Amino acid sequence: AGIEVCKAQLAANDRQPRAWDNLGWAYLGQGDLGQAQAAFERAVALDPKSVLDWYRIGHVHRLRAEYPAAGKAFANVLEIDAPETPAHYELGVVARLMHDDAAANREFGQFRDEVEKQRRAEPKNAEHYLELAAVSQRLGQTRQADALARKAMAMDPEQYFGLATLLGAQGRKNEAIDQLELAIQKGFRNVIWLTMHTDLD
Protein backbone atom coordinates (compact mmCIF):
# COMPACT_ATOMS: atom_id res chain seq x y z
CA ALA A 1 0.00 0.00 0.00
CA GLY A 2 2.81 2.41 0.85
CA ILE A 3 4.46 1.89 -2.53
CA GLU A 4 1.20 2.55 -4.36
CA VAL A 5 0.59 5.75 -2.39
CA CYS A 6 4.07 7.03 -3.21
CA LYS A 7 3.66 6.12 -6.87
CA ALA A 8 0.37 7.99 -6.99
CA GLN A 9 2.06 11.06 -5.52
CA LEU A 10 4.85 10.84 -8.05
CA ALA A 11 2.43 10.33 -10.93
CA ALA A 12 0.94 13.69 -10.04
CA ASN A 13 4.33 15.38 -9.52
CA ASP A 14 7.62 13.52 -9.89
CA ARG A 15 9.65 16.51 -8.66
CA GLN A 16 9.02 15.72 -4.98
CA PRO A 17 12.25 14.47 -3.35
CA ARG A 18 10.42 13.41 -0.18
CA ALA A 19 8.02 11.25 -2.18
CA TRP A 20 10.99 9.51 -3.82
CA ASP A 21 12.54 9.04 -0.37
CA ASN A 22 9.31 7.51 0.96
CA LEU A 23 9.13 5.22 -2.07
CA GLY A 24 12.70 4.05 -1.46
CA TRP A 25 11.91 3.42 2.21
CA ALA A 26 8.86 1.37 1.24
CA TYR A 27 10.95 -0.70 -1.18
CA LEU A 28 13.44 -1.31 1.62
CA GLY A 29 10.57 -2.66 3.67
CA GLN A 30 9.99 -5.21 0.91
CA GLY A 31 13.68 -6.06 0.72
CA ASP A 32 14.01 -4.67 -2.82
CA LEU A 33 17.41 -2.98 -2.56
CA GLY A 34 17.67 -2.18 -6.28
CA GLN A 35 14.39 -0.29 -6.42
CA ALA A 36 15.16 1.40 -3.11
CA GLN A 37 18.51 2.62 -4.38
CA ALA A 38 16.98 3.95 -7.59
CA ALA A 39 14.36 5.88 -5.62
CA PHE A 40 16.89 7.39 -3.21
CA GLU A 41 19.07 8.41 -6.15
CA ARG A 42 16.09 10.21 -7.69
CA ALA A 43 15.61 11.98 -4.35
CA VAL A 44 19.21 13.26 -4.24
CA ALA A 45 19.08 14.23 -7.91
CA LEU A 46 16.27 16.62 -6.91
CA ASP A 47 17.83 17.60 -3.57
CA PRO A 48 21.61 16.99 -3.68
CA LYS A 49 22.05 18.23 -0.10
CA SER A 50 19.65 15.68 1.41
CA VAL A 51 21.79 14.17 4.16
CA LEU A 52 19.05 11.66 4.95
CA ASP A 53 19.03 10.26 1.42
CA TRP A 54 22.83 10.08 1.20
CA TYR A 55 22.77 8.04 4.39
CA ARG A 56 20.15 5.75 2.90
CA ILE A 57 22.10 5.35 -0.33
CA GLY A 58 25.16 4.47 1.74
CA HIS A 59 23.27 1.85 3.73
CA VAL A 60 21.84 0.28 0.58
CA HIS A 61 25.29 0.06 -1.01
CA ARG A 62 26.64 -1.49 2.19
CA LEU A 63 23.85 -4.07 2.22
CA ARG A 64 24.69 -4.86 -1.40
CA ALA A 65 28.40 -5.23 -0.50
CA GLU A 66 29.23 -2.24 -2.74
CA TYR A 67 31.62 -0.81 -0.19
CA PRO A 68 33.45 1.91 -2.18
CA ALA A 69 30.09 3.36 -3.27
CA ALA A 70 28.84 3.18 0.33
CA GLY A 71 31.92 5.06 1.51
CA LYS A 72 31.40 7.75 -1.11
CA ALA A 73 27.79 8.25 -0.01
CA PHE A 74 28.75 8.59 3.66
CA ALA A 75 31.60 10.95 2.70
CA ASN A 76 29.02 13.07 0.87
CA VAL A 77 27.12 13.40 4.16
CA LEU A 78 30.19 14.96 5.77
CA GLU A 79 30.80 17.24 2.79
CA ILE A 80 27.26 18.57 3.14
CA ASP A 81 27.20 18.71 6.93
CA ALA A 82 30.60 18.31 8.62
CA PRO A 83 29.14 17.99 12.17
CA GLU A 84 27.08 14.95 11.11
CA THR A 85 29.03 12.67 13.45
CA PRO A 86 27.35 9.29 12.68
CA ALA A 87 28.79 9.37 9.16
CA HIS A 88 32.24 8.76 10.68
CA TYR A 89 30.94 5.59 12.34
CA GLU A 90 29.46 4.38 9.05
CA LEU A 91 32.71 5.16 7.23
CA GLY A 92 34.57 3.18 9.86
CA VAL A 93 32.30 0.18 9.33
CA VAL A 94 32.75 0.36 5.56
CA ALA A 95 36.53 0.70 5.87
CA ARG A 96 36.59 -2.37 8.15
CA LEU A 97 34.54 -4.32 5.60
CA MET A 98 37.17 -3.35 3.01
CA HIS A 99 39.92 -4.59 5.39
CA ASP A 100 41.39 -1.10 5.73
CA ASP A 101 41.90 -1.13 9.48
CA ALA A 102 43.91 2.09 9.57
CA ALA A 103 41.10 4.05 7.89
CA ALA A 104 38.51 2.31 10.06
CA ASN A 105 40.34 3.25 13.26
CA ARG A 106 40.69 6.86 12.08
CA GLU A 107 36.96 7.16 11.42
CA PHE A 108 35.98 5.40 14.64
CA GLY A 109 38.40 7.63 16.54
CA GLN A 110 36.84 10.73 15.01
CA PHE A 111 33.37 9.48 15.92
CA ARG A 112 34.46 8.71 19.47
CA ASP A 113 36.02 12.16 19.92
CA GLU A 114 32.90 13.93 18.69
CA VAL A 115 30.54 11.85 20.84
CA GLU A 116 32.78 12.41 23.85
CA LYS A 117 32.32 16.17 23.36
CA GLN A 118 28.56 15.64 23.26
CA ARG A 119 28.70 13.46 26.38
CA ARG A 120 30.56 16.16 28.29
CA ALA A 121 27.93 18.68 27.23
CA GLU A 122 25.06 16.31 28.17
CA PRO A 123 26.45 14.03 30.89
CA LYS A 124 23.04 12.60 31.75
CA ASN A 125 22.18 11.51 28.20
CA ALA A 126 22.35 7.70 28.18
CA GLU A 127 22.39 7.56 24.38
CA HIS A 128 25.87 9.11 24.30
CA TYR A 129 27.20 6.35 26.56
CA LEU A 130 25.71 3.70 24.26
CA GLU A 131 27.27 5.38 21.23
CA LEU A 132 30.62 5.36 23.01
CA ALA A 133 30.04 1.70 23.90
CA ALA A 134 29.39 0.84 20.24
CA VAL A 135 32.52 2.57 18.98
CA SER A 136 34.59 1.04 21.80
CA GLN A 137 33.39 -2.36 20.64
CA ARG A 138 34.31 -1.51 17.04
CA LEU A 139 37.80 -0.60 18.29
CA GLY A 140 38.12 -3.96 20.01
CA GLN A 141 37.59 -2.63 23.54
CA THR A 142 34.86 -5.01 24.68
CA ARG A 143 35.40 -4.54 28.42
CA GLN A 144 35.10 -0.77 28.06
CA ALA A 145 32.04 -1.18 25.83
CA ASP A 146 30.32 -3.32 28.46
CA ALA A 147 31.12 -0.83 31.24
CA LEU A 148 29.72 2.08 29.21
CA ALA A 149 26.59 0.08 28.39
CA ARG A 150 26.02 -0.72 32.07
CA LYS A 151 26.33 2.96 32.90
CA ALA A 152 23.85 3.89 30.14
CA MET A 153 21.28 1.34 31.28
CA ALA A 154 21.64 2.45 34.90
CA MET A 155 20.83 5.98 33.75
CA ASP A 156 17.93 4.92 31.49
CA PRO A 157 16.83 1.28 31.78
CA GLU A 158 14.59 1.58 28.71
CA GLN A 159 17.39 2.13 26.19
CA TYR A 160 16.49 -1.23 24.69
CA PHE A 161 17.20 -0.39 21.07
CA GLY A 162 20.59 1.15 21.77
CA LEU A 163 21.61 -1.86 23.86
CA ALA A 164 20.39 -4.19 21.10
CA THR A 165 22.66 -2.51 18.55
CA LEU A 166 25.66 -2.93 20.85
CA LEU A 167 24.82 -6.58 21.44
CA GLY A 168 24.48 -6.99 17.68
CA ALA A 169 27.93 -5.50 17.13
CA GLN A 170 29.23 -7.98 19.72
CA GLY A 171 27.63 -10.90 17.89
CA ARG A 172 25.32 -11.66 20.84
CA LYS A 173 22.34 -12.30 18.59
CA ASN A 174 19.83 -13.85 20.97
CA GLU A 175 20.39 -11.15 23.58
CA ALA A 176 20.06 -8.48 20.88
CA ILE A 177 16.75 -9.97 19.75
CA ASP A 178 15.49 -9.98 23.33
CA GLN A 179 16.25 -6.27 23.61
CA LEU A 180 14.59 -5.53 20.27
CA GLU A 181 11.46 -7.34 21.44
CA LEU A 182 11.44 -5.16 24.55
CA ALA A 183 11.89 -2.04 22.39
CA ILE A 184 8.93 -3.04 20.23
CA GLN A 185 6.80 -3.76 23.29
CA LYS A 186 7.60 -0.23 24.48
CA GLY A 187 6.52 1.32 21.20
CA PHE A 188 9.47 1.15 18.80
CA ARG A 189 7.92 1.04 15.33
CA ASN A 190 10.71 1.72 12.83
CA VAL A 191 10.83 -1.87 11.67
CA ILE A 192 12.55 -1.06 8.36
CA TRP A 193 15.45 0.49 10.27
CA LEU A 194 15.94 -2.85 12.00
CA THR A 195 16.64 -4.47 8.63
CA MET A 196 19.39 -2.02 7.65
CA HIS A 197 21.02 -0.80 10.88
CA THR A 198 24.78 -1.21 10.67
CA ASP A 199 25.07 -3.07 13.97
CA LEU A 200 22.12 -5.40 13.39
CA ASP A 201 23.40 -7.16 10.27
Side-chain angles (χ1 to χ4, degrees):
I3 289 174
E4 296 310 314
V5 169
C6 293
K7 285 183 174 180
Q9 281 185 298
L10 291 165
N13 177 6
D14 67 358
R15 305 290 298 173
Q16 304 175 74
R18 191 51 52 226
W20 284 110
D21 174 80
N22 289 337
L23 179 62
W25 197 245
Y27 276 126
L28 274 179
Q30 286 194 335
D32 190 334
L33 298 179
Q35 293 273 39
Q37 181 180 327
F40 294 140
E41 287 175 349
R42 289 293 296 269
V44 295
L46 292 166
D47 181 7
K49 293 191 179 297
S50 173
V51 164
L52 178 64
D53 286 299
W54 281 117
Y55 268 122
R56 290 179 175 176
I57 288 169
H59 286 301
V60 171
H61 281 302
R62 176 180 53 78
L63 291 168
R64 299 178 79 177
E66 298 165 353
Y67 302 132
K72 185 175 186 305
F74 294 129
N76 284 346
V77 170
L78 290 169
E79 286 181 19
I80 295 164
D81 186 2
E84 189 58 36
T85 303
H88 287 292
Y89 188 87
E90 302 299 345
L91 282 165
V93 170
V94 169
R96 190 79 81 210
L97 289 167
M98 295 173 68
H99 309 292
D100 187 344
D101 289 339
N105 290 339
R106 280 197 306 273
E107 296 295 342
F108 288 137
Q110 181 72 27
F111 177 81
R112 181 188 56 206
D113 292 347
E114 294 299 324
V115 174
E116 183 58 36
K117 290 177 190 175
Q118 296 168 16
R119 186 202 62 79
R120 287 197 297 269
E122 299 179 291
K124 295 184 179 180
N125 187 330
E127 291 182 13
H128 295 325
Y129 289 90
L130 284 168
E131 289 171 333
L132 288 170
V135 75
S136 295
Q137 181 63 42
R138 290 287 184 173
L139 288 166
Q141 300 161 350
T142 299
R143 187 176 298 176
Q144 183 176 346
D146 288 342
L148 286 161
R150 284 194 297 272
K151 187 163 189 174
M153 298 308 288
M155 294 170 69
D156 182 356
E158 293 193 358
Q159 286 286 331
Y160 304 119
F161 181 79
L163 181 57
T165 61
L166 172 63
L167 293 167
Q170 293 179 327
R172 295 159 65 180
K173 295 180 182 179
N174 291 337
E175 293 170 84
I177 289 169
D178 288 343
Q179 293 300 314
L180 290 174
E181 288 176 347
L182 287 169
I184 290 167
Q185 289 171 19
K186 289 292 184 176
F188 185 88
R189 291 291 177 267
N190 197 347
V191 179
I192 298 172
W193 184 225
L194 300 183
T195 68
M196 61 186 297
H197 192 287
T198 301
D199 291 327
L200 296 177
D201 280 354

